[in-house]
Every structure is written in C-alpha cells, then in structure tokens.
Amino acid sequence: MTDRMLTQEGGGTRATDGVASARRDQEINLPAKGVTTEVLHDLLGPPPTTRPVPIAVVGCCIRAHFPYETAVGNYRAACDRVRQVLDASRFEVLTADEPFEDPDALLAFADGLLERGVAGVIFLHATYTAGEIGSHFGRWLADHRMPVLSWSLPDEKGGNLEANSLCCQNFLLNMWQRMNVRYVWHHTAIDATADPYIQRFGASVRAKARLRHGKALHVGGSRVSAFYDGETDELAVMRRFGLRFDRIDLEAAHQHGKKFADADVSRLWQAIKSHEACNRVALPDEQALRTLRMGLSIYDLSVSGGYIGCTVKSWPELFDCYGFAIDGAVSMLNDAGLCTVEEGDMNGLISSLAMHLLTDGAAVPTMMDLSTLDVDANRLGIWHCGACPTRLLRAGATFDATRHSILENGDPETAVGLMLEFPLVTGPATVVRYQSPDASTMFAFEGRLEDCELAFRGNYTEMTPESPATAESVMGTIMNRGLDHHWSLGMGHLGRDLEMLNHWLGVKAIGEQTSMYLSR
C-alpha cells in the first residue's frame, strides 16, 4: 500500500500492483458456512442475489493513419478478455461492434449505455485517435460521473508503429484530467497480465454501485451510550457513498421476532450446542434463545427489506430490559452473508461493508478493538467480546457459548449472553476504518493473523503488520491522530482494492506516522 492514490476531484492514478488482486482471491479460503448457517437458510433462505452490474468496454481508433484492422482486432480481443475475466453472474459486459473514431457516434452509444444502467467504463486505446474523441467523451464523463479504466497496449517493435496506444492514452488523459474526470489507467497486453487490473476495477465498480443504491438497517436507532465515533453524518455519507440508513427501535425488532416458532429458534440453538467444535455451554438456554430469536427477526427484516447490511445497538437496553446479549446473533448474521456490526456503530458498518462488497462477502469482515501492543514482537492484539462469525474459527480450535465476559467482570450472576468465544483463523488480513464523523477519510493496514493463544475471553487474534508498517507505527498513527476506536477486520490483503474504491468515492487515505506518543 505504498503508491499514492489521487483523490482530488479530477485526475487519475495507475492501477498498480495488479497481481495483488489475484493473490487476494487465493488468500481467502474460509468455510462457506458457519455453525448456524444451514439452519438459518433453511428457515428464511439465503440473502437474495443481486443483479449483474453493467460495465461497458469502449474503444477508439482513427482509420486515416493507423490500420483499422489492428484497431478492430485489439478491441474485440479486449472485449473477449473482459468477458472471460468478469463473472457473468456479477457483471454484464456491454460492448459495441467496433472501436469509435466518430465522436458523435461514440456519444450516441454512450447515451444508450445510460439506459442500460452502466456503472463503469473500460476505455481501450485500440489505436491512436482524434482529439475530439477525448474531448467529447471527457465532457460526457464529466456529466455522467462513473469509474473509468483507461487501458493502453504495448506496440510490437520493428516495422511501422501501428497503434501508438500509450501515446493515445497520454493524449486523452491530459484532457480528462483537465475536465475533472476521475480515472485509473494501466498499460498491458491483452492477455493474463491484464486480468488483475480488470478484476480490481470490476470489484470496485460493483462495490460502488451497490453502495450507491444501498440501504442499511439501524436496529436500535442510535449508537450505544457516549460512543461518539459510532455516529455518522448521514447526509454526508449519502452524498459521498449513496448509502442510506433506515432506523427502527429495538422494540419493533423484538415484536417482529415473536412470529417465529419456538421450535425454529431451538433448532438454531441446538445447531450451536451440538456442533463438533462446541467445547462448553455456560449460559441459560433462555438467554441464548432470546439472542437467536432477535437474530432471526433482524435477518428477516433485512432480507425482506432489501438491506445490504445492518448495525444493532447492543447495550444497555438489550442487557437491562430484554435479558440477553446480541453478539451471538451478530455472529450468526455475518456467517449467513448479512454484513452486520454491533454497538450501533454506523461507521463500523461502512468499514465492514467496503470489504464485504469488494469481495462479495468472501472477506467475512467483523468489527473489533485493538487491545494489545507488543512493540518487540511487532504484534497487535485484536479482540472483541464474542460476536465474530464462526467462519473465522481457527482450524482445529473449539468455541465456548457463554455469558458476556465483560459483564461478568461486574457481576457474574446478572451477566447475560449469548457470546461465542474462540481464537480467529490465521492468514493474510486487512484492518480498516472509515473515520467519523462523515467517512471522508480512512485508515487501513494489512498484515498476517498469527497462531497465538486466546489472550482474553472473547474473540482474539494477533496481527503482524505488513512491512514497512509496524505495530508501533500503526498505533502511533491511530493515537497521534486520535482515530476512531473500532476497526473492521477482513480476510485477505485488500489494501489496493480499498484504494481504488476510495479513489471513486473521493475518500482520503490517512498516511502512517512512525513516532509514538506525540500528538499533532
């Protein structure tokens, strides 16, 4: 994560280190289901599939000076490559019959793309072109803002220069930058070397499109007491991301849960207690059943309402008035594919959603605290109470179903659950937070989750940050800059993917500092 992304209103960046995107897909290798997923999906079905996101491939040429056959061959080969790389269940690839040299014909085609809901454009510099192609299409892009991937091709050396594709890219991007068009660019042949760039672009376009038209459910209607960094500026988020929050109170969700039969709720609890990885049950059945009933209610409301994620106000009302903890339900919902965070944290949900949408759920993000720092060992201890999805259970480990350990610190007799306590998987991971109050800035770091003991009851792992970052520099940045105190953890190295998404959204990345204990 060393290349600087340009996030001013116009301009672009090279889509660098493309192999990282392909590597990320190989890194994420988690179970497809959690402990309760099969039962939950049997009761209410999986989250609905989303329609494919349209991405257009547009090409340019000029017959008078560069071989038309070369331009057409390059364009059609690129279209075929994009179709091969982008999964047809997630993307609709829109193409023309040939590259354009007439700007009016290009604009007519582009207007037709709008009618089909185009969300992003891959622009192939099939050969050099007329300046009017760049200026007219740049003006169109200024009116219809969307992600653009500019793709130039290496020319074969020897003989005549038949495409001059790189120079064409330079020519057009100069215009687009001056017209405040936001773009990324790469220079590769039409072969496997281009695939990671296409993959990352597609993922960022799809995530942006789902955020743009998405809505999130806020169960409880507010953050937990005095967690000021959990409240977001909703209008600023709607303006930048498109995402909106709908709020309902806890009682509405509680009443909705009464529709579910006791036997159905018991099936979920039985799936937990009887699982081969369940080591210990240390809470009354009624607390677990209340937790799982609320989870069923939230899942039903979210899926039927078309929500892409939800946050739940965890306390104090659920503890004091309803007699349970929501954490076990949050674990169940994330296992089932509904991106969920606790404590009413809206910025936490935005952070988890970014990774969830970029990977179509494969990152299985979960919201955590940074709770230990070992400078000598270069490790950060990442912990939360017991809401992590069981898909993150470390291979060969077991889990405990318990009461809330932090509540037990106060009074073991009145503490409630359901919590699912276990150590997390090992492997590459990313930690990210879109910062309060408006998610216009973000801090993220990559690293490796290590094999370690469960240092505290709850969910726990230790991360070694990816060089050149260190545990000391990461915490130095967080403390010196006074950043938010919740962090979303997702599997896989997603830094480049987040950078590209942030480029489209105009989110500024917070750079690292190396000194500790010194505020700004």
Side-chain angles (χ1 to χ4, degrees), residues 282-305:
L283 80 163
D285 285 348
E286 58 266 24
Q287 291 182 11
L289 293 170
R290 290 174 194 149
T291 299
L292 296 170
R293 184 180 293 278
M294 181 65 96
L296 270 176
S297 174
I298 293 170
Y299 185 81
D300 188 43
L301 290 167
S302 297
V303 170
S304 63

Side-chain angles (χ1 to χ4, degrees), residues 76-96:
R76 291 178 179 171
C79 292
D80 290 342
R81 193 79 204 178
V82 172
R83 290 191 188 96
Q84 179 181 333
V85 173
L86 297 182
D87 183 353
S89 68
R90 299 189 299 139
F91 299 96
E92 180 186 8
V93 179
L94 310 176
T95 64

Side-chain angles (χ1 to χ4, degrees), residues 26-31 362-363 379 382 389-397 422-430 447-454 460-464 489-493:
Q26 297 168 3
E27 289 168 347
I28 303 176
N29 185 24
L30 299 173
R379 286 193 179 189
I382 305 175
T390 60
R391 292 176 64 193
L392 298 182
L393 175 67
R394 185 178 303 166
F422 54 87
L424 302 192
V425 295
T426 60
T430 303
R448 179 172 180 81
L449 303 187
E450 307 288 4
D451 193 357
C452 64
E453 298 296 323
L454 192 66
Y460 185 77
T461 185
E462 292 179 356
M463 173 185 272
T464 301
L489 170 69
M491 298 308 298
H493 282 166

Side-chain angles (χ1 to χ4, degrees), residues 32-273:
K33 299 177 182 178
V35 169
T36 56
T37 305
E38 191 169 324
V39 175
L40 180 59
H41 286 178
D42 181 58
L43 293 173
L44 294 175
T49 56
T50 56
R51 70 177 183 85
V53 172
I55 290 180
V57 184
V58 176
C60 67
C61 67
I62 185 168
R63 300 186 194 215
H65 302 294
F66 294 92
Y68 182 63
E69 296 77 12
T70 298
V72 172
N74 287 342
Y75 176 69
R76 291 178 179 171
C79 292
D80 290 342
R81 193 79 204 178
V82 172
R83 290 191 188 96
Q84 179 181 333
V85 173
L86 297 182
D87 183 353
S89 68
R90 299 189 299 139
F91 299 96
E92 180 186 8
V93 179
L94 310 176
T95 64
D97 294 329
E98 56 190 6
F100 291 94
E101 63 174 345
D102 178 354
D104 292 331
L106 172 56
L107 294 185
F109 176 75
D111 287 341
L113 294 176
L114 294 176
E115 297 176 3
R116 301 180 67 176
V118 65
V121 172
I122 297 175
F123 191 96
L124 182 79
H125 304 268
T127 66
Y128 204 83
T129 194
E132 289 80 5
I133 286 286
S135 61
H136 288 42
F137 193 55
R139 180 68 179 83
W140 186 90
L141 289 169
D143 283 342
H144 309 288
R145 295 191 179 276
M146 65 185 68
V148 180
L149 172 61
S150 166
W151 181 2
S152 65
L153 310 173
D155 272 278
E156 291 188 16
K157 295 180 180 179
N160 293 352
L161 182 63
E162 291 197 347
N164 206 16
S165 179
L166 182 64
C167 183
C168 178
Q169 185 176 50
N170 185 178
F171 184 37
L172 268 59
L173 295 190
N174 167 265
M175 302 178 202
W176 294 355
Q177 191 277 333
R178 293 165 65 184
M179 299 175 83
N180 287 329
V181 173
R182 204 178 289 268
Y183 58 83
V184 295
W185 66 275
H186 73 111
H187 178 66
T188 64
I190 304 172
D191 57 25
T193 61
D195 295 356
Y197 302 98
I198 299 168
Q199 290 168 348
R200 175 173 294 118
F201 179 74
S204 68
V205 170
R206 182 171 167 83
K208 181 179 183 294
R210 294 192 66 193
L211 284 168
R212 181 79 183 161
H213 303 291
K215 56 181 182 175
L217 183 63
H218 195 316
V219 181
S222 69
R223 55 169 169 76
V224 296
S225 303
F227 277 30
Y228 304 110
D229 56 1
E231 191 77 36
T232 200
D233 181 335
E234 290 183 64
L235 293 179
V237 167
M238 288 177 71
R239 183 179 66 248
R240 184 179 302 276
F241 294 81
L243 181 71
R244 82 167 199 252
F245 286 86
D246 291 347
R247 300 174 186 247
I248 64 171
D249 58 38
L250 292 170
E251 181 61 18
H254 174 68
Q255 291 296 329
H256 185 77
K258 292 180 179 180
K259 67 182 279 190
F260 299 106
D262 292 346
D264 291 337
V265 183
S266 295
R267 285 181 63 193
L268 293 167
W269 182 219
Q270 186 61 33
I272 294 172
K273 293 191 296 181

